[in-house]
Amino acid sequence: MRPSRHFILLVLVLAALTILIGLFRPDGSFVAAVLWGGLIVVALADLAVTPSARNFDIAADLDETGYVGKTAPLSLHLTARKGELPRRFDLRLTQDHGIGTQDDTITTAPTPLSTETTVTVPLMLLERGEASLRRLSMCFASRFGLFDMLPRWPLSLSISIIPDVSPVFSGEIQTSMLPLLDGLKDMNLRGEGSEFHQLRDFQQGMDPRSIDWKRSARTHSLVARETRAERNHQIIFGLDCGHLMGERIGKLAKLDHAINATLSLTWAAGLGGDNVGFYSFASRPQTFLPPYPGRRAFGQIQKHSATLLQEASETNHTLGLSQLNSHLSRRSLIVIFSDFVDSVTAELLVENLAVMTRQHLVLYVALQDPKLAEIAHPADISMASVADAISARQLLVERRQVLDRLRRLGVLCLDTVPEKLTAGLVSRYIDIKSQELI
């Protein structure tokens, strides 16, 4: 409870009247006492008729898990034991830093004369891990408006914030893989592969080079060999957890965008029949998960990446990528999620990726920051904006130079915005499978 603005204004007005009475009527102490006594009586009456915190019951409900970068609905059901709810009140939550709200204060105006209401608060899930809601605070005006009532209730609600795998469970990934899938049950990747699949009658429009002449001579009819892309390839995801990956693009950090895309491609690789492994590194090598079939690998990577933390130190690409190369004895598709600022900081990254391309197929994935492009093309012309634009354009030029150098060295590159990362990565995987580049 605290005095409201109306109460403070009344006190100031009475204080001014008391001073005026003392100046112009020396015998007016009785009048001043009556005025102050009346204010006290009204204040006590206001507290008496205003419901206390014990008059309200709070029931809160929150999902156990949620996807990072998405919102989770918090349902608050308020009930008045006696009388009606306040006509207007404000709610405020006390939560961990992994959870955010659109507004610090949630203003609610229930139906007049209602005894209960339900308020739904969308919570923004900002960081992976466990996050808790600790307290709910309420503020409403007393019956006469002289006080602000401030009841509080402890909350023991927690939510596990996990990487966003909604494209997997929504069927988006499976839909993207349908052009290469021969039915939902067989799951055979068909294409211009080297693995024999079946024989079939040659039909007009088929490639004449696919004709099996020996079988055709035996059956006295043209028979074609149908091949499919090889399965059981090895795919390794390498995630840079250094300080550059902590930069936020939109609602999420680059590391979170990389984790979400990794899980989506892991599921796609499971549909494609490949084995998937996982590796993380920063200033020093971290965890290496050996390759397993897609479904099993998806569960392991999802569990491990939920607790993966971004470091404040600079990434050691030489140590991290050398350690990854030592774990691999078979030619693999290595997908590296990392970042750089300019050509100088990217020098060690380029050298180590060039070494890995001698044995493996490397796909380097970088995320574009749309804000950098906006700075490079300012809307207003001023000395500060021009200076920022020159610096931004220089960074963009050096970024293109580094990516061009990687392509000349045989490294596949994917440089895209976060909104197109998952779709672009799955599309690139489909192209690699179709062309049998691994």
Side-chain angles (χ1 to χ4, degrees):
M1 179 184 67
R2 68 187 179 191
S4 68
R5 295 181 179 179
H6 298 89
F7 186 79
I8 295 174
L9 181 61
L10 285 175
V11 170
L12 294 176
V13 170
L14 284 181
L17 289 175
T18 302
I19 294 173
L20 291 176
I21 290 172
L23 292 175
F24 296 102
R25 295 190 60 180
D27 57 344
S29 58
F30 176 75
V31 177
V34 170
L35 293 176
W36 284 104
L39 179 60
I40 294 174
V41 170
V42 173
L44 293 176
D46 190 12
L47 293 176
V49 298
T50 300
S52 63
R54 298 179 181 179
N55 188 55
F56 301 103
D57 288 332
I58 300 292
D61 183 45
L62 180 64
D63 294 339
E64 295 182 356
T65 59
Y67 297 143
V68 63
K70 304 293 184 179
T71 58
L74 170 65
S75 178
L76 299 172
H77 187 74
L78 286 78
T79 306
R81 296 180 181 178
K82 296 180 181 180
E84 62 187 55
L85 290 172
R87 296 181 180 180
R88 180 186 177 91
F89 56 87
D90 296 331
L91 297 176
R92 179 170 293 186
L93 293 167
T94 302
Q95 71 275 352
D96 293 341
H97 63 275
I99 302 178
T101 55
Q102 186 174 2
D103 299 313
D104 294 336
T105 302
I106 301 101
T107 302
T108 305
T111 306
L113 304 179
S114 62
T115 59
E116 61 180 4
T117 186
T118 301
V119 181
T120 301
V121 182
L123 300 178
M124 296 181 292
L125 308 181
L126 305 177
E127 297 181 3
R128 288 169 288 106
E130 290 286 336
S132 301
L133 296 174
R134 298 191 294 272
R135 186 170 64 246
L136 173 65
S137 303
M138 184 179 181
C139 178
F140 64 93
S142 60
R143 191 63 56 87
F144 299 154
L146 297 180
F147 296 95
D148 291 334
M149 311 305 294
L150 303 171
R152 296 179 180 181
W153 298 274
L155 294 178
S156 57
L157 298 176
S158 61
I159 182 172
S160 298
I161 306 176
I162 61 177
D164 184 10
V165 291
S166 55
V168 172
F169 296 117
S170 66
E172 180 181 339
I173 302 301
Q174 188 166 351
T175 303
S176 302
M177 294 289 292
L178 281 179
L180 291 183
L181 297 179
D182 185 15
L184 296 179
K185 293 183 179 180
D186 192 14
M187 296 297 183
N188 289 324
L189 291 175
R190 302 175 58 188
E192 301 297 329
S194 59
E195 183 177 324
F196 174 75
H197 178 43
Q198 63 182 2
L199 293 173
R200 56 179 301 183
D201 294 335
F202 182 82
Q203 298 178 0
Q204 186 176 3
M206 297 179 65
D207 189 354
R209 292 174 297 180
S210 64
I211 299 176
D212 189 328
W213 296 105
K214 292 184 178 180
R215 294 295 181 96
S216 300
R218 294 175 186 174
T219 59
H220 302 285
S221 62
L222 291 179
V223 178
R225 293 171 58 89
E226 187 176 275
T227 60
R228 64 182 181 185
E230 290 187 49
R231 300 166 65 89
N232 298 322
H233 289 300
Q234 190 165 278
I235 303 175
I236 306 295
F237 292 99
L239 264 67
D240 178 1
C241 300
H243 74 284
L244 290 180
M245 295 296 287
E247 178 188 356
R248 285 190 173 272
I249 302 180
K251 297 180 180 179
L252 299 179
K254 289 184 177 181
L255 180 60
D256 289 315
H257 288 298
I259 290 175
N260 295 341
T262 294
L263 291 173
S264 296
L265 188 54
T266 300
W267 189 267
L271 297 177
D274 292 327
N275 301 326
V276 183
F278 182 84
Y279 175 72
S280 60
F281 62 98
S283 58
R284 60 184 60 190
Q286 296 179 355
T287 306
F288 176 76
L289 301 179
Y292 286 104
R295 296 296 177 86
R296 181 180 176 185
F298 179 83
Q300 290 185 343
I301 296 175
Q302 183 183 22
K303 181 180 179 180
H304 176 72
S305 60
T307 58
L308 194 62
L309 299 178
Q310 175 259 329
E311 293 186 3
S313 56
E314 185 177 356
T315 302
N316 189 334
H317 290 99
T318 301
L319 182 58
L321 296 180
S322 299
Q323 184 71 17
L324 173 60
N325 205 13
S326 66
H327 285 295
L328 305 176
S329 57
R330 174 187 172 187
R331 177 174 169 82
S332 309
L333 168 61
I334 302 177
V335 183
I336 300 294
F337 292 88
S338 186
D339 201 4
F340 58 91
V341 177
D342 49 31
S343 58
V344 177
T345 57
E347 191 63 33
L348 292 177
L349 172 65
V350 173
E351 291 180 2
N352 287 276
L353 292 181
V355 172
M356 299 184 74
T357 55
R358 299 172 185 173
Q359 182 180 359
H360 308 284
L361 178 64
V362 180
L363 172 59
Y364 175 72
V365 182
L367 287 175
Q368 300 176 5
D369 189 351
K371 291 184 178 180
L372 192 60
E374 295 178 2
I375 297 174
H377 301 83
D380 60 325
I381 304 290
S382 63
M383 292 299 296
S385 61
V386 170
D388 293 339
I390 294 174
S391 300
R393 292 187 181 186
Q394 181 64 29
L395 291 176
L396 292 175
V397 169
E398 292 191 15
R399 186 181 185 87
R400 287 194 295 267
Q401 291 176 349
V402 171
L403 294 177
D404 291 341
R405 182 181 175 188
L406 286 174
R407 293 187 181 99
R408 291 195 298 270
L409 292 173
V411 178
L412 304 179
C413 296
L414 178 61
D415 185 28
T416 183
V417 294
E419 293 77 12
K420 300 180 180 180
L421 176 59
T422 298
L425 197 58
V426 174
S427 177
R428 187 61 63 90
Y429 167 73
I430 293 174
D431 293 341
I432 291 173
K433 290 287 290 184
S434 301
Q435 301 174 26
E436 289 197 327
L437 299 178
I438 306 179

